[in-house]
Amino acid sequence: MLVVVPMDSTDVQEAKITPVLEAKTWAELRIEEGELVEVLHADAYDAFDAWPEAVVVCSDGEPVMDFINMSMIVLVAHTQKTIDEIVEAFLFRELHDLAY
């Protein structure tokens, strides 16, 4: 599964999730068979070769209509901040659905 996340840095170890409109880079997380396989970065969420299936945002108030219109799953990481925390929460289904 391909998941995109707006981040404040391309440094995988130090990067934190950020609001969509403040993203300095987008991380594409390739998750296969219960583990993180690859992390790629791009300037925009739609700049990756393959189309992501889901997006993780940091709050319910994010502008997500573009993602919804593209049939992407929108998940919210209320407490998770780093890539490792987001991946772990994703695998254990601890990320929240968007509250409308």
Side-chain angles (χ1 to χ4, degrees), residues 1 8 12 14-16 27-29 38 47 59 62-64 66 70 72 85 90 95 99-100:
M1 176 172 245
D8 65 358
V12 174
E14 299 294 324
K16 302 260 189 278
E28 179 185 65
L29 313 177
E38 182 177 38
S59 73
E62 293 290 321
V64 296
D66 287 345
M70 292 181 277
M72 292 172 65
E85 291 172 345
F90 178 82
L95 296 175
Y100 293 99

Side-chain angles (χ1 to χ4, degrees), residues 10-16 82-84:
T10 58
D11 182 344
V12 174
Q13 299 302 319
E14 299 294 324
K16 302 260 189 278
T82 66
I83 289 176
D84 288 341

Side-chain angles (χ1 to χ4, degrees), residues 41-88:
H41 290 92
D43 292 333
Y45 64 87
D46 56 358
F48 297 102
D49 292 335
W51 198 253
E53 299 164 72
V55 61
V56 177
V57 295
C58 63
S59 73
D60 291 312
E62 293 290 321
V64 296
M65 282 311 295
D66 287 345
F67 306 121
I68 293 170
N69 290 337
M70 292 181 277
S71 300
M72 292 172 65
I73 300 165
V74 178
L75 300 170
V76 182
H78 289 289
T79 59
Q80 300 81 4
K81 300 299 177 205
T82 66
I83 289 176
D84 288 341
E85 291 172 345
I86 291 167
V87 169
E88 182 178 339

Side-chain angles (χ1 to χ4, degrees), residues 19-36:
V20 170
L21 298 177
E22 297 175 18
K24 290 187 172 57
T25 187
W26 286 80
E28 179 185 65
L29 313 177
R30 182 178 299 276
I31 301 170
E32 295 177 0
E33 297 179 16
E35 66 181 51
L36 180 64

